[in-house]
């Protein structure tokens, strides 16, 4: 297992994968070692193949041994769920404890859990009357969207938002947040335990809102410029 070799699990178009690839190309120091999907038609697989990155279908998403073997075959040390819509077997979350991260399109713990994905999330946010939503990066454990929060980036909800307009704004925050957090974890600048952030710092872009979970010595946001 090489921490700087990132395995990406995705079920959809892969825009988060694209943002991660662009970021890693710019900053170096870590790489996407493979892209795996539970769907043979996932656009994320096409994005990988177009860049010569090993891409494969997860034939048995519930088979933890098989998934660990697929990741180990590429010496993966850090796992990123970039729009992966299946439950990750406990064998995998335990094997990669502190090194498996998901991006969720809402400010967890609100608007998360089983069935809370895609448009369902943004429709629920709008129905709640919330005036702020955002992106969350969190550690993955055996339940959907429950692991310790590592970073968040809030975005405003506009009065005339639809689920699609809100989704587009949150997706921009995801693309801005997930890659630097993944890079920091993969390169050891952000140390995570199974219980969350245990140390290190994130490069905080100017006037950005990063609210880092847990340890008190981590910087907290003071102001936000929304994407
Ligand atoms: C993103 O909204 C992400 O938060 C959610 O699934 C979506 C994936 O989009 N988990 P893409 O496939 O990365 O474009």
């Amino acid at each position: 297992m090489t921490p700087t070799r990132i395995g990406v699990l995705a079920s959809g178009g892969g825009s988060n994968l694209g943002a991660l690839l662009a970021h890693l190309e710019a900053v170096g120091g870590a790489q996407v070692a493979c892209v795996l999907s539970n769907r043979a038609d996932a656009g994320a697989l096409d994005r990988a193949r177009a860049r010569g990155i090993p891409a494969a279908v997860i034939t048995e998403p519930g088979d933890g041994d098989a998934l660990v073997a697929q990741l180990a075959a590429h010496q993966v040390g850090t796992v990123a769920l970039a729009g992966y819509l299946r439950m990750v077997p406990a064998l995998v979350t335990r094997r990669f404890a502190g090194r498996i991260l998901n991006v969720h399109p809402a400010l967890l713990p609100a608007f998360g859990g089983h069935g809370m994905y895609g448009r369902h999330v943004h429709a629920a946010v709008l129905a709640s009357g919330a005036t702020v939503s955002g992106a969350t990066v969190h550690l993955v454990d055996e339940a959907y969207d429950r692991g310790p929060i590592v970073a968040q980036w809030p975005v405003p909800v506009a009065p005339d938002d639809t689920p699609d307009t809100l989704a587009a704004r949150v997706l921009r925050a995801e693309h801005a947040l997930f890659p630097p957090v993944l890079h920091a974890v993969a390169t050891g600048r952000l140390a995570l335990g199974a219980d969350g952030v245990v140390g290190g710092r994130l490069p905080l872009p100017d006037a950005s809102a990063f609210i880092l979970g847990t340890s008190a010595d981590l910087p907290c946001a003071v102001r936000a410029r929304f994407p």
Side-chain angles (χ1 to χ4, degrees), residues 10-15 37-39 41-45 47 82-85:
S11 302
S15 74
S37 179
N38 59 302
R39 296 177 53 115
D41 62 346
L45 294 178
R47 287 179 191 254
Y84 187 63
L85 298 181

Side-chain angles (χ1 to χ4, degrees), residues 10-18 44 47 81-85 102-106 116-118 122 135-136 145 167 170-171 174-175:
S11 302
S15 74
N16 272 285
L17 168 64
R47 287 179 191 254
L81 306 188
Y84 187 63
L85 298 181
N102 179 49
V103 61
H104 182 75
M116 275 303 200
Y117 60 89
H122 307 296
T136 298
D145 307 327
V170 170
L171 194 59
E174 293 175 44
H175 292 172

Side-chain angles (χ1 to χ4, degrees), residues 1 12 16 24 29 32 38 69-70 76 87 93 102 108 112 124-125 156 158 160 188 222 225:
M1 278 174 61
N16 272 285
L24 295 179
V32 173
N38 59 302
Q70 274 186 292
V76 165
M87 178 70 82
T93 57
N102 179 49
L108 294 175
V125 170
D160 59 348
V222 286
R225 172 176 3 122

Side-chain angles (χ1 to χ4, degrees), residues 18-117:
L20 174 61
L21 290 169
H23 183 76
L24 295 179
E25 209 163 281
V27 300
Q31 67 184 116
V32 173
C34 65
V35 176
L36 306 177
S37 179
N38 59 302
R39 296 177 53 115
D41 62 346
L45 294 178
D46 298 332
R47 287 179 191 254
R49 292 184 185 115
R51 290 173 175 256
I53 296 170
V57 177
I58 303 166
T59 50
E60 291 292 333
D63 181 343
D65 287 312
L67 193 42
V68 166
Q70 274 186 292
L71 293 165
H74 298 283
Q75 297 85 39
V76 165
T78 301
V79 179
L81 306 188
Y84 187 63
L85 298 181
R86 295 295 299 265
M87 178 70 82
V88 178
L91 201 62
V92 180
T93 57
R94 283 199 291 270
R95 181 86 157 61
F96 289 96
R99 311 199 61 75
I100 179 167
L101 294 157
N102 179 49
V103 61
H104 182 75
L107 294 180
L108 294 175
F111 307 111
H114 191 62
M116 275 303 200
Y117 60 89

